[in-house]
Amino acid sequence: EWIETSILNKYKFKGWNEVVKNLHSPSDDNIKNKNLLRRRLAFDELLSHQLAIGIMRNFNQKKKGLKIHGSNLCNEIHLPTKYGEFNLISYEQKDTKDIHIALKKGDWSDDEEVLVRVHSSCVTGDILGSLRCDCGSQLQNALKMINEKGKGLVLYMNQEGRGIGLLNKLKAYKLQEEGYDTVEANEKLGFKMDHRDYGVGAQILKDLKIKKINLLSNNPVKRAGLLGYGIEISRNTKIEIEPNTFNKKYLETKRDKMGHDILRK
């Protein structure tokens, strides 16, 4: 409640104020849009929660002088890939012991804008090439874009299935085969639509002397989470993937229920 309303409003859906203003209108259009309104309310709650959590934890961290998450496990190692040559740095999250990695290309000054992709792990998409999501293609495109620019960073975060873990993600996949969408499946299992916390990624960015980023993302919740932790997002570059037969419903759900800036044509 102590967060300025104007801060939250900045990251809400376009047209949100109009939806709220007409909330109690008995018009046919508003009756038809009840499901849309319910989805937007759920999304707005998630967005506000991410921003609030980030601001509070970032404030507490500065106040107490604590580094909540992360310690560099080893020196940089050279990693040549089919997309270009990178340096790999590993981090351990103190509270969970999860390992996150940073794929770094080039160097930057303290106040320089850096091209960054914060990518959550996806065993099925990134490793096995699943067509049920767009994760693998987004990761590949991000690596190509950073290599072409000559500098940038991919944060590969150990947050499978939007933070619910691999086994639960596979259970959610089974529910999707029964007709649930990706959000409904997570909720059916007792989870929020997105369980990720972007504070770990923000702290890694700060450890690598990155303060200002051009974020490669379609996800407004990710932007809000990083902003809440004090990362300046000077630009946002979409990284949209053409839908296929297997992921079209998944992408439409991310657009309609999670606010992703995709499939707007």
Side-chain angles (χ1 to χ4, degrees), residues 46-98:
L46 174 63
L47 197 63
S48 301
H49 175 76
Q50 277 288 353
L51 187 59
I53 290 297
I55 290 172
M56 288 187 290
R57 288 183 178 170
N58 191 43
F59 173 77
N60 288 333
Q61 181 185 344
K62 289 179 179 177
K63 184 178 179 182
K64 298 178 181 178
L66 298 176
K67 188 170 185 179
I68 303 171
H69 300 287
S71 59
N72 192 344
L73 290 178
C74 65
N75 294 326
E76 294 186 22
I77 63 170
H78 180 232
L79 187 72
T81 76
K82 62 197 262 186
Y83 310 107
E85 296 186 24
F86 298 84
N87 285 345
L88 187 150
I89 310 167
S90 59
Y91 288 84
E92 181 182 46
Q93 187 172 330
K94 289 182 178 179
D95 58 349
T96 64
K97 303 302 181 183
D98 288 335

Short mmCIF file of all heavy atoms in Angstrom, two decimals, residues 46-98:
data_model
loop_
_atom_site.label_atom_id
_atom_site.label_comp_id
_atom_site.label_asym_id
_atom_site.label_seq_id
_atom_site.Cartn_x
_atom_site.Cartn_y
_atom_site.Cartn_z
N LEU A 46 -0.22 -9.85 -10.04
CA LEU A 46 1.11 -10.42 -10.21
C LEU A 46 2.14 -9.33 -10.50
O LEU A 46 3.23 -9.31 -9.92
CB LEU A 46 1.10 -11.43 -11.35
CG LEU A 46 2.45 -12.04 -11.76
CD1 LEU A 46 3.04 -12.85 -10.61
CD2 LEU A 46 2.28 -12.90 -13.00
N LEU A 47 1.79 -8.41 -11.39
CA LEU A 47 2.70 -7.33 -11.76
C LEU A 47 3.03 -6.45 -10.57
O LEU A 47 4.19 -6.14 -10.29
CB LEU A 47 2.05 -6.49 -12.87
CG LEU A 47 2.95 -5.58 -13.69
CD1 LEU A 47 3.98 -6.40 -14.46
CD2 LEU A 47 2.11 -4.76 -14.66
N SER A 48 1.99 -6.06 -9.83
CA SER A 48 2.19 -5.22 -8.64
C SER A 48 3.02 -5.95 -7.59
O SER A 48 3.88 -5.36 -6.94
CB SER A 48 0.83 -4.83 -8.05
OG SER A 48 0.05 -4.13 -8.99
N HIS A 49 2.77 -7.26 -7.45
CA HIS A 49 3.50 -8.06 -6.47
C HIS A 49 4.99 -8.11 -6.82
O HIS A 49 5.85 -7.91 -5.94
CB HIS A 49 2.94 -9.47 -6.43
CG HIS A 49 3.69 -10.42 -5.55
ND1 HIS A 49 3.59 -10.39 -4.18
CD2 HIS A 49 4.59 -11.39 -5.85
CE1 HIS A 49 4.38 -11.32 -3.66
NE2 HIS A 49 4.99 -11.94 -4.66
N GLN A 50 5.31 -8.33 -8.10
CA GLN A 50 6.70 -8.40 -8.50
C GLN A 50 7.41 -7.07 -8.24
O GLN A 50 8.53 -7.04 -7.72
CB GLN A 50 6.81 -8.74 -9.99
CG GLN A 50 6.73 -10.21 -10.30
CD GLN A 50 7.98 -10.97 -9.89
OE1 GLN A 50 8.98 -10.40 -9.48
NE2 GLN A 50 7.92 -12.28 -9.96
N LEU A 51 6.77 -5.97 -8.59
CA LEU A 51 7.38 -4.66 -8.40
C LEU A 51 7.54 -4.36 -6.92
O LEU A 51 8.58 -3.87 -6.47
CB LEU A 51 6.52 -3.58 -9.07
CG LEU A 51 7.09 -2.16 -9.10
CD1 LEU A 51 8.43 -2.15 -9.84
CD2 LEU A 51 6.12 -1.21 -9.78
N ALA A 52 6.52 -4.67 -6.13
CA ALA A 52 6.56 -4.40 -4.70
C ALA A 52 7.64 -5.22 -4.00
O ALA A 52 8.41 -4.70 -3.19
CB ALA A 52 5.20 -4.69 -4.07
N ILE A 53 7.69 -6.52 -4.31
CA ILE A 53 8.69 -7.39 -3.69
C ILE A 53 10.09 -6.90 -4.03
O ILE A 53 10.98 -6.85 -3.17
CB ILE A 53 8.50 -8.85 -4.17
CG1 ILE A 53 7.22 -9.43 -3.57
CG2 ILE A 53 9.70 -9.69 -3.78
CD1 ILE A 53 7.22 -9.52 -2.06
N GLY A 54 10.29 -6.52 -5.29
CA GLY A 54 11.60 -6.03 -5.70
C GLY A 54 11.99 -4.77 -4.95
O GLY A 54 13.11 -4.65 -4.45
N ILE A 55 11.08 -3.83 -4.85
CA ILE A 55 11.38 -2.56 -4.17
C ILE A 55 11.68 -2.81 -2.70
O ILE A 55 12.64 -2.28 -2.14
CB ILE A 55 10.19 -1.58 -4.32
CG1 ILE A 55 10.09 -1.11 -5.78
CG2 ILE A 55 10.36 -0.39 -3.39
CD1 ILE A 55 8.87 -0.29 -6.07
N MET A 56 10.87 -3.64 -2.03
CA MET A 56 11.07 -3.89 -0.60
C MET A 56 12.38 -4.61 -0.34
O MET A 56 13.14 -4.25 0.57
CB MET A 56 9.89 -4.69 -0.04
CG MET A 56 8.60 -3.88 0.07
SD MET A 56 7.27 -4.77 0.92
CE MET A 56 6.86 -6.02 -0.29
N ARG A 57 12.68 -5.65 -1.14
CA ARG A 57 13.91 -6.40 -0.90
C ARG A 57 15.14 -5.57 -1.25
O ARG A 57 16.17 -5.65 -0.57
CB ARG A 57 13.89 -7.69 -1.72
CG ARG A 57 12.91 -8.72 -1.16
CD ARG A 57 12.95 -10.01 -1.93
NE ARG A 57 12.04 -10.98 -1.35
CZ ARG A 57 11.72 -12.14 -1.93
NH1 ARG A 57 12.26 -12.47 -3.09
NH2 ARG A 57 10.88 -12.98 -1.35
N ASN A 58 15.03 -4.78 -2.31
CA ASN A 58 16.15 -3.91 -2.67
C ASN A 58 16.39 -2.88 -1.57
O ASN A 58 17.54 -2.58 -1.21
CB ASN A 58 15.85 -3.22 -4.00
CG ASN A 58 17.07 -2.52 -4.57
OD1 ASN A 58 18.17 -3.07 -4.55
ND2 ASN A 58 16.88 -1.33 -5.08
N PHE A 59 15.32 -2.33 -0.99
CA PHE A 59 15.43 -1.37 0.10
C PHE A 59 16.08 -2.01 1.33
O PHE A 59 17.00 -1.46 1.93
CB PHE A 59 14.04 -0.84 0.46
CG PHE A 59 14.02 0.03 1.69
CD1 PHE A 59 14.46 1.34 1.63
CD2 PHE A 59 13.59 -0.47 2.90
CE1 PHE A 59 14.45 2.15 2.77
CE2 PHE A 59 13.57 0.31 4.04
CZ PHE A 59 14.00 1.63 3.97
N ASN A 60 15.61 -3.21 1.69
CA ASN A 60 16.17 -3.90 2.86
C ASN A 60 17.63 -4.26 2.65
O ASN A 60 18.45 -4.19 3.57
CB ASN A 60 15.36 -5.17 3.16
CG ASN A 60 13.99 -4.85 3.72
OD1 ASN A 60 13.80 -3.81 4.34
ND2 ASN A 60 13.03 -5.73 3.49
N GLN A 61 17.96 -4.65 1.43
CA GLN A 61 19.34 -5.01 1.13
C GLN A 61 20.26 -3.81 1.32
O GLN A 61 21.33 -3.91 1.92
CB GLN A 61 19.44 -5.53 -0.30
CG GLN A 61 20.84 -5.97 -0.71
CD GLN A 61 20.90 -6.35 -2.16
OE1 GLN A 61 19.88 -6.58 -2.79
NE2 GLN A 61 22.09 -6.40 -2.71
N LYS A 62 19.85 -2.65 0.80
CA LYS A 62 20.66 -1.45 0.93
C LYS A 62 20.74 -1.01 2.39
O LYS A 62 21.79 -0.60 2.88
CB LYS A 62 20.07 -0.32 0.08
CG LYS A 62 20.23 -0.54 -1.42
CD LYS A 62 19.59 0.59 -2.19
CE LYS A 62 19.78 0.41 -3.70
NZ LYS A 62 19.11 1.48 -4.46
N LYS A 63 19.61 -1.10 3.08
CA LYS A 63 19.55 -0.64 4.47
C LYS A 63 20.45 -1.49 5.37
O LYS A 63 21.15 -0.97 6.25
CB LYS A 63 18.10 -0.70 4.96
CG LYS A 63 17.89 -0.16 6.37
CD LYS A 63 16.42 -0.21 6.74
CE LYS A 63 16.19 0.29 8.16
NZ LYS A 63 14.77 0.19 8.55
N LYS A 64 20.45 -2.79 5.17
CA LYS A 64 21.20 -3.69 6.04
C LYS A 64 22.60 -4.00 5.51
O LYS A 64 23.40 -4.63 6.18
CB LYS A 64 20.44 -5.01 6.21
CG LYS A 64 19.08 -4.84 6.88
CD LYS A 64 18.35 -6.18 6.97
CE LYS A 64 16.97 -6.01 7.61
NZ LYS A 64 16.24 -7.28 7.66
N GLY A 65 22.88 -3.56 4.26
CA GLY A 65 24.18 -3.84 3.69
C GLY A 65 24.41 -5.32 3.42
O GLY A 65 25.54 -5.80 3.47
N LEU A 66 23.34 -6.05 3.11
CA LEU A 66 23.44 -7.49 2.90
C LEU A 66 23.39 -7.83 1.43
O LEU A 66 22.71 -7.17 0.65
CB LEU A 66 22.29 -8.21 3.61
CG LEU A 66 22.21 -8.08 5.12
CD1 LEU A 66 20.97 -8.78 5.63
CD2 LEU A 66 23.45 -8.67 5.78
N LYS A 67 24.10 -8.88 1.07
CA LYS A 67 23.95 -9.45 -0.26
C LYS A 67 23.11 -10.71 -0.10
O LYS A 67 23.60 -11.74 0.36
CB LYS A 67 25.32 -9.77 -0.87
CG LYS A 67 25.23 -10.19 -2.33
CD LYS A 67 26.60 -10.27 -2.96
CE LYS A 67 26.48 -10.58 -4.44
NZ LYS A 67 27.79 -10.65 -5.10
N ILE A 68 21.84 -10.62 -0.44
CA ILE A 68 20.89 -11.69 -0.12
C ILE A 68 21.22 -12.98 -0.86
O ILE A 68 21.18 -14.05 -0.30
CB ILE A 68 19.45 -11.24 -0.46
CG1 ILE A 68 19.11 -9.95 0.29
CG2 ILE A 68 18.44 -12.32 -0.11
CD1 ILE A 68 17.82 -9.33 -0.16
N HIS A 69 21.53 -12.86 -2.14
CA HIS A 69 21.73 -14.05 -2.96
C HIS A 69 23.07 -13.98 -3.67
O HIS A 69 23.57 -12.91 -3.98
CB HIS A 69 20.65 -14.15 -4.05
CG HIS A 69 19.27 -14.26 -3.53
ND1 HIS A 69 18.77 -15.39 -2.93
CD2 HIS A 69 18.25 -13.37 -3.51
CE1 HIS A 69 17.52 -15.18 -2.58
NE2 HIS A 69 17.19 -13.97 -2.92
N GLY A 70 23.60 -15.15 -3.96
CA GLY A 70 24.63 -15.25 -4.97
C GLY A 70 26.06 -15.13 -4.50
O GLY A 70 26.40 -14.26 -3.71
N SER A 71 26.89 -16.01 -4.98
CA SER A 71 28.33 -15.88 -4.83
C SER A 71 28.97 -16.51 -6.05
O SER A 71 28.55 -17.57 -6.50
CB SER A 71 28.82 -16.58 -3.55
OG SER A 71 28.49 -17.95 -3.57
N ASN A 72 29.97 -15.83 -6.61
CA ASN A 72 30.63 -16.34 -7.80
C ASN A 72 31.40 -17.60 -7.45
O ASN A 72 32.22 -17.61 -6.55
CB ASN A 72 31.59 -15.25 -8.31
CG ASN A 72 32.11 -15.56 -9.70
OD1 ASN A 72 32.02 -16.68 -10.15
ND2 ASN A 72 32.65 -14.55 -10.35
N LEU A 73 31.11 -18.71 -8.15
CA LEU A 73 31.70 -20.00 -7.79
C LEU A 73 33.07 -20.23 -8.41
O LEU A 73 33.89 -20.96 -7.88
CB LEU A 73 30.77 -21.13 -8.23
CG LEU A 73 29.46 -21.27 -7.46
CD1 LEU A 73 28.65 -22.40 -8.05
CD2 LEU A 73 29.73 -21.55 -5.99
N CYS A 74 33.33 -19.65 -9.58
CA CYS A 74 34.61 -19.90 -10.24
C CYS A 74 34.95 -18.73 -11.14
O CYS A 74 34.13 -17.85 -11.39
CB CYS A 74 34.56 -21.19 -11.05
SG CYS A 74 33.40 -21.14 -12.45
N ASN A 75 36.18 -18.70 -11.62
CA ASN A 75 36.59 -17.66 -12.55
C ASN A 75 35.89 -17.86 -13.89
O ASN A 75 35.33 -18.92 -14.17
CB ASN A 75 38.11 -17.69 -12.73
CG ASN A 75 38.84 -17.33 -11.45
OD1 ASN A 75 38.37 -16.51 -10.68
ND2 ASN A 75 39.99 -17.96 -11.23
N GLU A 76 35.95 -16.83 -14.72
CA GLU A 76 35.35 -16.93 -16.04
C GLU A 76 36.04 -18.02 -16.86
O GLU A 76 37.26 -18.18 -16.81
CB GLU A 76 35.48 -15.60 -16.78
CG GLU A 76 34.69 -14.47 -16.17
CD GLU A 76 34.72 -13.21 -17.01
OE1 GLU A 76 34.99 -13.32 -18.24
OE2 GLU A 76 34.50 -12.12 -16.46
N ILE A 77 35.24 -18.80 -17.58
CA ILE A 77 35.81 -19.79 -18.50
C ILE A 77 35.36 -19.45 -19.92
O ILE A 77 34.26 -18.92 -20.13
CB ILE A 77 35.39 -21.23 -18.14
CG1 ILE A 77 33.88 -21.41 -18.26
CG2 ILE A 77 35.87 -21.60 -16.76
CD1 ILE A 77 33.43 -22.85 -18.17
N HIS A 78 36.20 -19.74 -20.88
CA HIS A 78 35.91 -19.47 -22.28
C HIS A 78 34.95 -20.52 -22.81
O HIS A 78 35.16 -21.72 -22.62
CB HIS A 78 37.20 -19.47 -23.09
CG HIS A 78 36.99 -19.18 -24.54
ND1 HIS A 78 37.49 -19.99 -25.55
CD2 HIS A 78 36.34 -18.17 -25.17
CE1 HIS A 78 37.15 -19.49 -26.72
NE2 HIS A 78 36.45 -18.40 -26.53
N LEU A 79 33.87 -20.09 -23.46
CA LEU A 79 32.87 -21.03 -23.99
C LEU A 79 32.56 -20.68 -25.45
O LEU A 79 31.72 -19.84 -25.74
CB LEU A 79 31.59 -20.97 -23.15
CG LEU A 79 30.55 -22.04 -23.53
CD1 LEU A 79 31.00 -23.42 -23.08
CD2 LEU A 79 29.18 -21.71 -22.92
N PRO A 80 33.23 -21.34 -26.38
CA PRO A 80 32.87 -21.16 -27.79
C PRO A 80 31.57 -21.91 -28.09
O PRO A 80 31.40 -23.06 -27.66
CB PRO A 80 34.06 -21.78 -28.54
CG PRO A 80 34.66 -22.75 -27.58
CD PRO A 80 34.37 -22.24 -26.19
N THR A 81 30.64 -21.27 -28.77
CA THR A 81 29.37 -21.90 -29.13
C THR A 81 29.10 -21.70 -30.62
O THR A 81 29.80 -20.93 -31.29
CB THR A 81 28.20 -21.28 -28.34
OG1 THR A 81 27.87 -19.99 -28.90
CG2 THR A 81 28.55 -21.10 -26.87
N LYS A 82 28.09 -22.35 -31.12
CA LYS A 82 27.71 -22.19 -32.53
C LYS A 82 27.17 -20.79 -32.81
O LYS A 82 27.03 -20.39 -33.96
CB LYS A 82 26.68 -23.25 -32.94
CG LYS A 82 25.40 -23.20 -32.19
CD LYS A 82 24.62 -24.51 -32.35
CE LYS A 82 23.57 -24.44 -33.38
NZ LYS A 82 22.72 -25.63 -33.46
N TYR A 83 26.85 -20.05 -31.74
CA TYR A 83 26.32 -18.69 -31.90
C TYR A 83 27.40 -17.63 -31.71
O TYR A 83 27.16 -16.45 -31.94
CB TYR A 83 25.19 -18.45 -30.89
CG TYR A 83 24.17 -19.55 -30.90
CD1 TYR A 83 24.09 -20.47 -29.85
CD2 TYR A 83 23.30 -19.71 -31.97
CE1 TYR A 83 23.17 -21.50 -29.88
CE2 TYR A 83 22.38 -20.74 -32.01
CZ TYR A 83 22.32 -21.63 -30.96
OH TYR A 83 21.41 -22.67 -31.00
N GLY A 84 28.60 -18.04 -31.28
CA GLY A 84 29.68 -17.10 -31.03
C GLY A 84 30.47 -17.51 -29.80
O GLY A 84 30.14 -18.52 -29.15
N GLU A 85 31.48 -16.75 -29.50
CA GLU A 85 32.33 -17.04 -28.34
C GLU A 85 31.91 -16.19 -27.15
O GLU A 85 31.74 -14.98 -27.27
CB GLU A 85 33.80 -16.79 -28.69
CG GLU A 85 34.31 -17.72 -29.78
CD GLU A 85 35.81 -17.58 -30.02
OE1 GLU A 85 36.52 -17.14 -29.09
OE2 GLU A 85 36.25 -17.89 -31.14
N PHE A 86 31.76 -16.85 -25.99
CA PHE A 86 31.32 -16.18 -24.78
C PHE A 86 32.23 -16.59 -23.62
O PHE A 86 32.99 -17.56 -23.72
CB PHE A 86 29.87 -16.56 -24.44
CG PHE A 86 28.87 -16.13 -25.48
CD1 PHE A 86 28.64 -16.93 -26.60
CD2 PHE A 86 28.17 -14.94 -25.36
CE1 PHE A 86 27.72 -16.55 -27.57
CE2 PHE A 86 27.26 -14.56 -26.32
CZ PHE A 86 27.03 -15.36 -27.43
N ASN A 87 32.12 -15.88 -22.51
CA ASN A 87 32.71 -16.30 -21.25
C ASN A 87 31.58 -16.72 -20.32
O ASN A 87 30.55 -16.05 -20.26
CB ASN A 87 33.53 -15.18 -20.61
CG ASN A 87 34.86 -14.97 -21.32
OD1 ASN A 87 35.30 -15.83 -22.09
ND2 ASN A 87 35.50 -13.85 -21.08
N LEU A 88 31.78 -17.83 -19.62
CA LEU A 88 30.75 -18.37 -18.72
C LEU A 88 31.17 -18.15 -17.27
O LEU A 88 32.29 -18.46 -16.89
CB LEU A 88 30.52 -19.84 -19.01
CG LEU A 88 29.36 -20.55 -18.29
CD1 LEU A 88 28.81 -21.67 -19.15
CD2 LEU A 88 29.80 -21.11 -16.94
N ILE A 89 30.24 -17.63 -16.48
CA ILE A 89 30.46 -17.39 -15.05
C ILE A 89 29.31 -18.05 -14.29
O ILE A 89 28.15 -17.89 -14.67
CB ILE A 89 30.49 -15.89 -14.72
CG1 ILE A 89 31.44 -15.15 -15.67
CG2 ILE A 89 30.89 -15.65 -13.27
CD1 ILE A 89 31.29 -13.64 -15.63
N SER A 90 29.64 -18.79 -13.23
CA SER A 90 28.60 -19.48 -12.46
C SER A 90 28.37 -18.80 -11.12
O SER A 90 29.29 -18.23 -10.53
CB SER A 90 28.98 -20.94 -12.24
OG SER A 90 30.21 -21.04 -11.54
N TYR A 91 27.11 -18.87 -10.65
CA TYR A 91 26.72 -18.29 -9.37
C TYR A 91 25.89 -19.31 -8.59
O TYR A 91 25.11 -20.05 -9.18
CB TYR A 91 25.89 -17.02 -9.57
CG TYR A 91 26.67 -15.83 -10.06
CD1 TYR A 91 26.92 -15.66 -11.41
CD2 TYR A 91 27.16 -14.88 -9.17
CE1 TYR A 91 27.63 -14.57 -11.87
CE2 TYR A 91 27.87 -13.78 -9.62
CZ TYR A 91 28.11 -13.64 -10.96
OH TYR A 91 28.83 -12.55 -11.42
N GLU A 92 26.06 -19.31 -7.28
CA GLU A 92 25.22 -20.14 -6.42
C GLU A 92 24.28 -19.25 -5.63
O GLU A 92 24.69 -18.26 -5.02
CB GLU A 92 26.07 -20.96 -5.44
CG GLU A 92 25.22 -21.86 -4.54
CD GLU A 92 26.07 -22.63 -3.55
OE1 GLU A 92 26.95 -22.01 -2.91
OE2 GLU A 92 25.86 -23.84 -3.40
N GLN A 93 22.99 -19.60 -5.65
CA GLN A 93 21.99 -18.88 -4.86
C GLN A 93 22.04 -19.42 -3.43
O GLN A 93 21.85 -20.61 -3.19
CB GLN A 93 20.61 -19.08 -5.47
CG GLN A 93 19.53 -18.24 -4.81
CD GLN A 93 18.21 -18.31 -5.54
OE1 GLN A 93 18.19 -18.49 -6.76
NE2 GLN A 93 17.12 -18.17 -4.83
N LYS A 94 22.30 -18.55 -2.48
CA LYS A 94 22.59 -18.98 -1.12
C LYS A 94 21.42 -19.72 -0.46
O LYS A 94 21.63 -20.69 0.26
CB LYS A 94 22.98 -17.77 -0.26
CG LYS A 94 24.35 -17.20 -0.60
CD LYS A 94 24.69 -16.04 0.31
CE LYS A 94 26.09 -15.51 0.01
NZ LYS A 94 26.42 -14.36 0.87
N ASP A 95 20.20 -19.25 -0.66
CA ASP A 95 19.08 -19.84 0.08
C ASP A 95 18.60 -21.17 -0.50
O ASP A 95 18.00 -21.98 0.20
CB ASP A 95 17.92 -18.84 0.20
CG ASP A 95 17.41 -18.36 -1.15
OD1 ASP A 95 18.08 -18.64 -2.17
OD2 ASP A 95 16.36 -17.70 -1.18
N THR A 96 18.85 -21.42 -1.80
CA THR A 96 18.37 -22.65 -2.43
C THR A 96 19.48 -23.57 -2.92
O THR A 96 19.21 -24.72 -3.26
CB THR A 96 17.48 -22.31 -3.64
OG1 THR A 96 18.29 -21.65 -4.64
CG2 THR A 96 16.31 -21.42 -3.25
N LYS A 97 20.70 -23.03 -3.02
CA LYS A 97 21.86 -23.75 -3.58
C LYS A 97 21.72 -23.98 -5.09
O LYS A 97 22.48 -24.76 -5.67
CB LYS A 97 22.10 -25.10 -2.88
CG LYS A 97 22.30 -24.97 -1.37
CD LYS A 97 23.47 -24.06 -1.02
CE LYS A 97 23.67 -23.96 0.47
NZ LYS A 97 24.77 -23.02 0.83
N ASP A 98 20.75 -23.33 -5.73
CA ASP A 98 20.61 -23.43 -7.18
C ASP A 98 21.80 -22.75 -7.86
O ASP A 98 22.34 -21.76 -7.35
CB ASP A 98 19.33 -22.75 -7.65
CG ASP A 98 18.09 -23.53 -7.30
OD1 ASP A 98 18.19 -24.76 -7.14
OD2 ASP A 98 17.00 -22.91 -7.16
#
